[in-house]
Amino acid sequence: VLGKCLGSQGENTAMDNVATERRAEESHRQDSANLLIFIMLLTLTILTIWLFKHRRFRFLHETGLAMIYGLLVGVILRFGVHVPRNMNNVTMNCSVNASPATLLVNVSGRFYEYTLKGEVSTVKGHDVQDDEMLRKVTFDPEVFFNILLPPIIFHAGYSLKRRHFFRNLGSILAYAFMGTVISSFVIGLVMYGCVTLMKAVGQLGGDFFFTDCLFFGAIVSATDPVTVLAIFNELKVDVDLYALMFGESVLNDAVAIVLSSSIGAYQPAGDNSHTFDATAMIKSFGVFLGVFSGSLALGVATGVMTALISFCFTKLRDFPLLETALFFLMSWSTFLLAEACEMTGVVAVLFCGMTQAHYTFNNLSPDSQDRTKQLFELLNFLAENFIFSYMGLTLFSFQSHVFNPLFIIGAFIAVFLGRAANIYPLSFLLNLGRKNKIGSNFQHVMMFAGLRGAMTFALSIRDTATYARQMMFSTTLLIVFFTVWVCGGGTTPIYCGCTVMVLQKSHAHFYVFEQVTVSDGTQHRNTKHESAWPFRIWYNFDNTYLKPLLTHSGPPLTATLPACCGPLARCLTSTQAYENEGHQHNDDSDELVLNDGNATMYGDVTVSTDASGTLTTNHKHLSASTMGITSEEALDQELAFGEHELVIRGTRLVLSVLYQDPTEYNAILYYEPFSVNCNIH
Amino acid sequence: VLGKCLGSQGENTAMDNVATERRAEESHRQDSANLLIFIMLLTLTILTIWLFKHRRFRFLHETGLAMIYGLLVGVILRFGVHVPRNMNNVTMNCSVNASPATLLVNVSGRFYEYTLKGEVSTVKGHDVQDDEMLRKVTFDPEVFFNILLPPIIFHAGYSLKRRHFFRNLGSILAYAFMGTVISSFVIGLVMYGCVTLMKAVGQLGGDFFFTDCLFFGAIVSATDPVTVLAIFNELKVDVDLYALMFGESVLNDAVAIVLSSSIGAYQPAGDNSHTFDATAMIKSFGVFLGVFSGSLALGVATGVMTALISFCFTKLRDFPLLETALFFLMSWSTFLLAEACEMTGVVAVLFCGMTQAHYTFNNLSPDSQDRTKQLFELLNFLAENFIFSYMGLTLFSFQSHVFNPLFIIGAFIAVFLGRAANIYPLSFLLNLGRKNKIGSNFQHVMMFAGLRGAMTFALSIRDTATYARQMMFSTTLLIVFFTVWVCGGGTTPIYCGCTVMVLQKSHAHFYVFEQVTVSDGTQHRNTKHESAWPFRIWYNFDNTYLKPLLTHSGPPLTATLPACCGPLARCLTSTQAYENEGHQHNDDSDELVLNDGNATMYGDVTVSTDASGTLTTNHKHLSASTMGITSEEALDQELAFGEHELVIRGTRLVLSVLYQDPTEYNAILYYEPFSVNCNIH
């Protein structure tokens, strides 16, 4: 493809160079100013979040707040600012057949390299040179996938409550895989009906195929771990519900992203490219499986490699900076590796995060453990608020919105139906096999808390070239706004209503007295959670082979391997593992599987209530409060890094029984400085 | 400027879209792979750094190591990898007179936006489509200024040892401003001689004006705080030498960057654009002063604003995550604001860092103090190693190198002369006014340790369009390599030689007995450092008005303001300040000015040596060792954040006297686990 054009020869003078330089400077100045707008937006959001937290105003979540600020700035940019038309753009009408990724322009003998930024829409008779300002604040959609989503998803994986996650893995996988597929197809079908209706009424302004409907179903089926994590973390909900919801919404995203790309890959042979074709469908399914398992394998592989590096280079612990940098770089390289191998980086990063938390985390020095947690917490916070404020802004700055009332109403109904078809039938089926049933209250909460967020947005903004995609994008934006503002803000009262009601009825005593049994400083937890046999097998395998091989916290291999492997085991076991042998059962991994009435389970947590209702918690780990953190943060941290959830649950439930008024209960949860005394055993 | 070309109309089919998409994907895959190369390079560097630290191998600094790895990868990419020629580039020979920043290409009725990436060199008969791979791994030079340099420079400002910095401010400013200007002009003149010689011999292949010589002088006059900080931090040198060197090299960078841009702005009127013109020169000087003071003011302003926010929103301390995010965003916005105002972002960031350290740091919660330190430490570490490994890579990947032996030899001589003309005369003049003379040994060390690093590289790679700039770039690269490998590696033995020699002669007793005086658990430091009167005035102003206004750590305003301002003072003073009133002299700010034999100075540090040579250090701050950090790290941290340097110096010097063999002395410094017992008073 080589287009040659005729034209007059320009002169190559120094003045040209100066002019070019000045234009580049001007463009840079403009970029800085635009980025500054976002930074100021984030700063404002942070101050307002703080104000909300401080004033105990909890009806709007921080992500909702970020969106509102984004909206305001969008309105100002759209209607308030009139930038003089920038004449630096040159329009070339050329004979190129396609738009290449890079373009070399021969300007009078000197070659300049240009990179493709995207197509500029010319819808509605807009002059292409109009709205320079709005086009400038529009980011390349790939920024979301390559810069903003990875830290969010990694953080989700890294902070997954492993114990409860694995205990509920069966249900989580069912919801995430089957549920997302069901939801996608239900939404796809409803939308197809809607689109057919629109075509009949004459409301459709362009093509909208069945594959587009399915694609729409896939992107709006991704529930957001960001908002779920944030809301549930603040609510301090029941850990099992939390693990189910969070695990589902995290894996959900991974499934939705791969599903949508497989639907995009569905291309039947022949002329009519939008009919059913079994071969193409099987191929799409193959793509789905291949990409998902490939990304999973890559993520786990780099996670294991990091664990091995930090396991072998033991003395790296003496240099927390190097350790943290290594951890960060290895996690980032997972993403790049996956993208370079044509896998899905975001999915790889998720599983990498989970592997890092399960193995590498145990090998890090305490200092690095704190550093990595705080680093990813910060990155997650910034990226999350950036995405949500950009979402608000884009409602006004995006120039090709297609708002179709019929489509929007249809989409809201479809999303509702899709979520219902995911949660209720699956819960019913799962309850047949679970000893610890998923109550109908829990199901309602799951139904209602299925917010759509960053992933849905990123998937829908990725491609807005066609009419169908533009309509999808506009509708998706509205769905996200609705779910975050209405459902996100509403989950608090709904949840409180449900659970407190439940507590005041039959379950209250069950929870409080069964789970928080005080007996001479040692607690025997008699939780009734079963563990399915595949996970018992996995747990045993993990504890016997993987943990000792990859971390310093397991039992030595010499103790777990059969005698014939003695020499091999000895050379693979670190001296630290031997030291751990005596007290290795202190490790949190042992809490992974709780069998019924398991007397061998080791309780490392003591909870006692004295007469005044003050709670005393004793556990073996160096408590957060000795590091100068407030008790509320200590609770937050424990909730976030899943070591003593049971205690906290006990605490919360005892409190909720003591103060049965839901409003007061809420207030106590967040603001009553109840003392948690932590001592080292 | 509207170029219209004639050509055949291409067809806009769906296949085109698919092809475009696939090319974009391919380009993204390639980008990921390239970034992965760098991430792997950094990972390797980290592991090797650790190995070096662990094996006590100290002849090569980590930045030198990063360069070596970069070189290796560059060689592999240059000679080892043969990527099939990428035919996706379209060469358009068009009638545009200039190369605009953005280009709208009309491909059969659809507009695509392209952004200028840069000029592609066509030197040496290279086909422009050749070396796709090498061109791909070449970053936009602006990446250095906009992404990599800011965290490095901010960290330098944030970790400046304030007490010693302010005490030596006069000398530092003299070296930084006068020294850099002297050095630039000396180098410029020598190079002009060299270029004239080359022209006479017929070795010059293009234009090289006097302004180019001066520009070269400015860019190679910037000594690197990165390497200075790293090397001196590890050597644990004398704090005054450290403060002088570090302060000089930090401000140096700021001066050099503004100086080079002012030289770039020198454009005499008339046809002959390279003659002397007084008006243009005065204008350039005005630009220098304006940009420098403007950037300084912006940096200080945002720093003060952050301090005010964290001062007013006191309860923000309860949310370290919000606090850290705010701190990060405000610091970043300094950079963007300065760039948007056409100031120099890097300079603004430097002064912002210093202001944050001086005021905001005191308002942060202890948790946030740690978090911000660790965050910027990590960012600095990653950016620094990235730049140095890229430097190594670019020696082979850059395609327009002009290595001219005469020019290179001339440049090395010029750099040497320039540095000498900076250090020796200025030191002589400064010694006339200083009570604490800069010894000739110190001068030799300053002369020798003036490494060129990231800033020099970034300035020289920024513009490589002309022959003169290409030759400068190639030569600069060699200068950086030489100084980092030879001087950087050599500073250790030279410095040890100098100081240990000095110690063994007359000064040893002076240091040990004057500075480490043990008297019943309290130490009276009788250091002989004078403070010049401008800084006493500044100190008093700062302590009386600014600290109380901006931080919680000063005395209350009601105590420092005159009585007539009582009501104003009362409403500006926080309750915390009153609480501080009793013990506010514990704050490190009081150590800012040490007057001769000042009996009111408060010693918050106790150093005692017992018979066995074990050192006991008592100070008031919660010690790092209680947080589970090794004593070596604790020392590192204290050195890096400048609160108790004097103690450490005492410690080191006592040790160095105890073990007079330099080799053993080195080993003891880093690896002898001498106990530092820290108790809270």
PDB file of all heavy atoms in Angstrom, chain A residues 549-570:
ATOM      1  N   LEU A 549       7.243 -25.951  48.502  1.00  0.00           N
ATOM      2  CA  LEU A 549       8.154 -25.688  47.391  1.00  0.00           C
ATOM      3  C   LEU A 549       8.323 -24.203  47.141  1.00  0.00           C
ATOM      4  O   LEU A 549       9.392 -23.735  46.776  1.00  0.00           O
ATOM      5  CB  LEU A 549       7.607 -26.341  46.119  1.00  0.00           C
ATOM      6  CG  LEU A 549       8.300 -27.606  45.649  1.00  0.00           C
ATOM      7  CD1 LEU A 549       7.583 -28.161  44.431  1.00  0.00           C
ATOM      8  CD2 LEU A 549       9.774 -27.344  45.315  1.00  0.00           C
ATOM      9  N   LEU A 550       7.226 -23.453  47.309  1.00  0.00           N
ATOM     10  CA  LEU A 550       7.225 -22.058  46.867  1.00  0.00           C
ATOM     11  C   LEU A 550       7.350 -21.047  47.996  1.00  0.00           C
ATOM     12  O   LEU A 550       7.664 -19.894  47.751  1.00  0.00           O
ATOM     13  CB  LEU A 550       5.946 -21.769  46.073  1.00  0.00           C
ATOM     14  CG  LEU A 550       5.770 -22.563  44.784  1.00  0.00           C
ATOM     15  CD1 LEU A 550       4.416 -22.296  44.192  1.00  0.00           C
ATOM     16  CD2 LEU A 550       6.852 -22.205  43.792  1.00  0.00           C
ATOM     17  N   THR A 551       7.050 -21.446  49.206  1.00  0.00           N
ATOM     18  CA  THR A 551       7.103 -20.472  50.288  1.00  0.00           C
ATOM     19  C   THR A 551       7.900 -21.026  51.462  1.00  0.00           C
ATOM     20  O   THR A 551       8.217 -22.210  51.510  1.00  0.00           O
ATOM     21  CB  THR A 551       5.695 -20.091  50.794  1.00  0.00           C
ATOM     22  OG1 THR A 551       5.180 -21.185  51.568  1.00  0.00           O
ATOM     23  CG2 THR A 551       4.748 -19.794  49.650  1.00  0.00           C
ATOM     24  N   HIS A 552       8.190 -20.133  52.387  1.00  0.00           N
ATOM     25  CA  HIS A 552       8.885 -20.549  53.594  1.00  0.00           C
ATOM     26  C   HIS A 552       7.920 -20.891  54.708  1.00  0.00           C
ATOM     27  O   HIS A 552       8.318 -21.164  55.825  1.00  0.00           O
ATOM     28  CB  HIS A 552       9.796 -19.424  54.080  1.00  0.00           C
ATOM     29  CG  HIS A 552      10.890 -19.111  53.122  1.00  0.00           C
ATOM     30  ND1 HIS A 552      11.865 -20.015  52.806  1.00  0.00           N
ATOM     31  CD2 HIS A 552      11.143 -18.018  52.393  1.00  0.00           C
ATOM     32  CE1 HIS A 552      12.690 -19.483  51.924  1.00  0.00           C
ATOM     33  NE2 HIS A 552      12.273 -18.262  51.649  1.00  0.00           N
ATOM     34  N   SER A 553       6.616 -20.848  54.402  1.00  0.00           N
ATOM     35  CA  SER A 553       5.677 -20.948  55.507  1.00  0.00           C
ATOM     36  C   SER A 553       5.074 -22.337  55.666  1.00  0.00           C
ATOM     37  O   SER A 553       4.423 -22.618  56.653  1.00  0.00           O
ATOM     38  CB  SER A 553       4.552 -19.918  55.332  1.00  0.00           C
ATOM     39  OG  SER A 553       3.867 -20.182  54.139  1.00  0.00           O
ATOM     40  N   GLY A 554       5.261 -23.200  54.690  1.00  0.00           N
ATOM     41  CA  GLY A 554       4.677 -24.528  54.799  1.00  0.00           C
ATOM     42  C   GLY A 554       5.534 -25.442  55.668  1.00  0.00           C
ATOM     43  O   GLY A 554       6.568 -25.032  56.188  1.00  0.00           O
ATOM     44  N   PRO A 555       5.117 -26.698  55.814  1.00  0.00           N
ATOM     45  CA  PRO A 555       5.962 -27.669  56.514  1.00  0.00           C
ATOM     46  C   PRO A 555       7.125 -28.037  55.590  1.00  0.00           C
ATOM     47  O   PRO A 555       7.012 -27.876  54.373  1.00  0.00           O
ATOM     48  CB  PRO A 555       5.032 -28.858  56.723  1.00  0.00           C
ATOM     49  CG  PRO A 555       4.029 -28.760  55.620  1.00  0.00           C
ATOM     50  CD  PRO A 555       3.871 -27.306  55.317  1.00  0.00           C
ATOM     51  N   PRO A 556       8.254 -28.500  56.115  1.00  0.00           N
ATOM     52  CA  PRO A 556       9.357 -28.868  55.210  1.00  0.00           C
ATOM     53  C   PRO A 556       8.955 -30.030  54.320  1.00  0.00           C
ATOM     54  O   PRO A 556       8.181 -30.892  54.720  1.00  0.00           O
ATOM     55  CB  PRO A 556      10.480 -29.258  56.169  1.00  0.00           C
ATOM     56  CG  PRO A 556       9.828 -29.520  57.471  1.00  0.00           C
ATOM     57  CD  PRO A 556       8.594 -28.682  57.506  1.00  0.00           C
ATOM     58  N   LEU A 557       9.486 -30.026  53.114  1.00  0.00           N
ATOM     59  CA  LEU A 557       9.174 -31.087  52.157  1.00  0.00           C
ATOM     60  C   LEU A 557       9.552 -32.460  52.691  1.00  0.00           C
ATOM     61  O   LEU A 557       8.905 -33.455  52.391  1.00  0.00           O
ATOM     62  CB  LEU A 557       9.923 -30.850  50.850  1.00  0.00           C
ATOM     63  CG  LEU A 557       9.202 -30.048  49.767  1.00  0.00           C
ATOM     64  CD1 LEU A 557      10.084 -29.959  48.559  1.00  0.00           C
ATOM     65  CD2 LEU A 557       7.879 -30.706  49.411  1.00  0.00           C
ATOM     66  N   THR A 558      10.620 -32.489  53.481  1.00  0.00           N
ATOM     67  CA  THR A 558      11.077 -33.772  54.019  1.00  0.00           C
ATOM     68  C   THR A 558       9.996 -34.428  54.852  1.00  0.00           C
ATOM     69  O   THR A 558       9.947 -35.651  54.971  1.00  0.00           O
ATOM     70  CB  THR A 558      12.333 -33.571  54.883  1.00  0.00           C
ATOM     71  OG1 THR A 558      12.156 -32.381  55.658  1.00  0.00           O
ATOM     72  CG2 THR A 558      13.577 -33.430  54.033  1.00  0.00           C
ATOM     73  N   ALA A 559       9.130 -33.608  55.416  1.00  0.00           N
ATOM     74  CA  ALA A 559       8.064 -34.174  56.238  1.00  0.00           C
ATOM     75  C   ALA A 559       6.870 -34.596  55.400  1.00  0.00           C
ATOM     76  O   ALA A 559       6.113 -35.488  55.796  1.00  0.00           O
ATOM     77  CB  ALA A 559       7.625 -33.162  57.294  1.00  0.00           C
ATOM     78  N   THR A 560       6.676 -33.947  54.249  1.00  0.00           N
ATOM     79  CA  THR A 560       5.466 -34.222  53.487  1.00  0.00           C
ATOM     80  C   THR A 560       5.670 -35.214  52.357  1.00  0.00           C
ATOM     81  O   THR A 560       4.745 -35.907  51.966  1.00  0.00           O
ATOM     82  CB  THR A 560       4.891 -32.918  52.895  1.00  0.00           C
ATOM     83  OG1 THR A 560       5.893 -32.304  52.077  1.00  0.00           O
ATOM     84  CG2 THR A 560       4.470 -31.950  53.987  1.00  0.00           C
ATOM     85  N   LEU A 561       6.884 -35.291  51.818  1.00  0.00           N
ATOM     86  CA  LEU A 561       7.127 -36.216  50.713  1.00  0.00           C
ATOM     87  C   LEU A 561       7.338 -37.620  51.260  1.00  0.00           C
ATOM     88  O   LEU A 561       7.787 -37.795  52.384  1.00  0.00           O
ATOM     89  CB  LEU A 561       8.369 -35.791  49.918  1.00  0.00           C
ATOM     90  CG  LEU A 561       8.208 -34.658  48.905  1.00  0.00           C
ATOM     91  CD1 LEU A 561       9.500 -34.482  48.133  1.00  0.00           C
ATOM     92  CD2 LEU A 561       7.066 -34.944  47.936  1.00  0.00           C
ATOM     93  N   PRO A 562       7.041 -38.635  50.450  1.00  0.00           N
ATOM     94  CA  PRO A 562       7.337 -39.999  50.882  1.00  0.00           C
ATOM     95  C   PRO A 562       8.846 -40.189  51.055  1.00  0.00           C
ATOM     96  O   PRO A 562       9.656 -39.456  50.490  1.00  0.00           O
ATOM     97  CB  PRO A 562       6.783 -40.874  49.751  1.00  0.00           C
ATOM     98  CG  PRO A 562       6.542 -39.947  48.607  1.00  0.00           C
ATOM     99  CD  PRO A 562       6.321 -38.591  49.186  1.00  0.00           C
ATOM    100  N   ALA A 563       9.211 -41.197  51.834  1.00  0.00           N
ATOM    101  CA  ALA A 563      10.604 -41.394  52.231  1.00  0.00           C
ATOM    102  C   ALA A 563      11.548 -41.551  51.037  1.00  0.00           C
ATOM    103  O   ALA A 563      12.699 -41.111  51.079  1.00  0.00           O
ATOM    104  CB  ALA A 563      10.713 -42.610  53.145  1.00  0.00           C
ATOM    105  N   CYS A 564      11.060 -42.166  49.947  1.00  0.00           N
ATOM    106  CA  CYS A 564      11.933 -42.435  48.811  1.00  0.00           C
ATOM    107  C   CYS A 564      12.450 -41.154  48.152  1.00  0.00           C
ATOM    108  O   CYS A 564      13.461 -41.155  47.475  1.00  0.00           O
ATOM    109  CB  CYS A 564      11.203 -43.302  47.781  1.00  0.00           C
ATOM    110  SG  CYS A 564       9.692 -42.518  47.177  1.00  0.00           S
ATOM    111  N   CYS A 565      11.726 -40.060  48.340  1.00  0.00           N
ATOM    112  CA  CYS A 565      12.148 -38.801  47.731  1.00  0.00           C
ATOM    113  C   CYS A 565      13.022 -37.982  48.673  1.00  0.00           C
ATOM    114  O   CYS A 565      13.224 -36.781  48.446  1.00  0.00           O
ATOM    115  CB  CYS A 565      10.929 -37.981  47.314  1.00  0.00           C
ATOM    116  SG  CYS A 565       9.734 -38.903  46.344  1.00  0.00           S
ATOM    117  N   GLY A 566      13.478 -38.605  49.726  1.00  0.00           N
ATOM    118  CA  GLY A 566      14.229 -37.906  50.759  1.00  0.00           C
ATOM    119  C   GLY A 566      15.312 -36.957  50.268  1.00  0.00           C
ATOM    120  O   GLY A 566      15.277 -35.768  50.582  1.00  0.00           O
ATOM    121  N   PRO A 567      16.272 -37.457  49.463  1.00  0.00           N
ATOM    122  CA  PRO A 567      17.376 -36.579  49.041  1.00  0.00           C
ATOM    123  C   PRO A 567      16.879 -35.362  48.261  1.00  0.00           C
ATOM    124  O   PRO A 567      17.318 -34.236  48.489  1.00  0.00           O
ATOM    125  CB  PRO A 567      18.213 -37.498  48.133  1.00  0.00           C
ATOM    126  CG  PRO A 567      17.833 -38.876  48.519  1.00  0.00           C
ATOM    127  CD  PRO A 567      16.414 -38.821  48.964  1.00  0.00           C
ATOM    128  N   LEU A 568      15.919 -35.601  47.350  1.00  0.00           N
ATOM    129  CA  LEU A 568      15.341 -34.511  46.568  1.00  0.00           C
ATOM    130  C   LEU A 568      14.703 -33.479  47.493  1.00  0.00           C
ATOM    131  O   LEU A 568      14.914 -32.270  47.358  1.00  0.00           O
ATOM    132  CB  LEU A 568      14.297 -35.075  45.606  1.00  0.00           C
ATOM    133  CG  LEU A 568      13.609 -34.042  44.710  1.00  0.00           C
ATOM    134  CD1 LEU A 568      14.556 -33.513  43.656  1.00  0.00           C
ATOM    135  CD2 LEU A 568      12.357 -34.623  44.082  1.00  0.00           C
ATOM    136  N   ALA A 569      13.934 -34.000  48.436  1.00  0.00           N
ATOM    137  CA  ALA A 569      13.225 -33.108  49.358  1.00  0.00           C
ATOM    138  C   ALA A 569      14.209 -32.270  50.152  1.00  0.00           C
ATOM    139  O   ALA A 569      14.013 -31.073  50.343  1.00  0.00           O
ATOM    140  CB  ALA A 569      12.339 -33.926  50.295  1.00  0.00           C
ATOM    141  N   ARG A 570      15.289 -32.920  50.612  1.00  0.00           N
ATOM    142  CA  ARG A 570      16.238 -32.194  51.455  1.00  0.00           C
ATOM    143  C   ARG A 570      16.874 -31.023  50.713  1.00  0.00           C
ATOM    144  O   ARG A 570      17.070 -29.958  51.274  1.00  0.00           O
ATOM    145  CB  ARG A 570      17.308 -33.155  51.986  1.00  0.00           C
ATOM    146  CG  ARG A 570      16.993 -33.656  53.397  1.00  0.00           C
ATOM    147  CD  ARG A 570      18.185 -34.369  54.028  1.00  0.00           C
ATOM    148  NE  ARG A 570      18.550 -35.583  53.290  1.00  0.00           N
ATOM    149  CZ  ARG A 570      17.909 -36.757  53.405  1.00  0.00           C
ATOM    150  NH1 ARG A 570      16.877 -36.867  54.217  1.00  0.00           N
ATOM    151  NH2 ARG A 570      18.294 -37.795  52.721  1.00  0.00           N
TER     152      ARG A 570
END
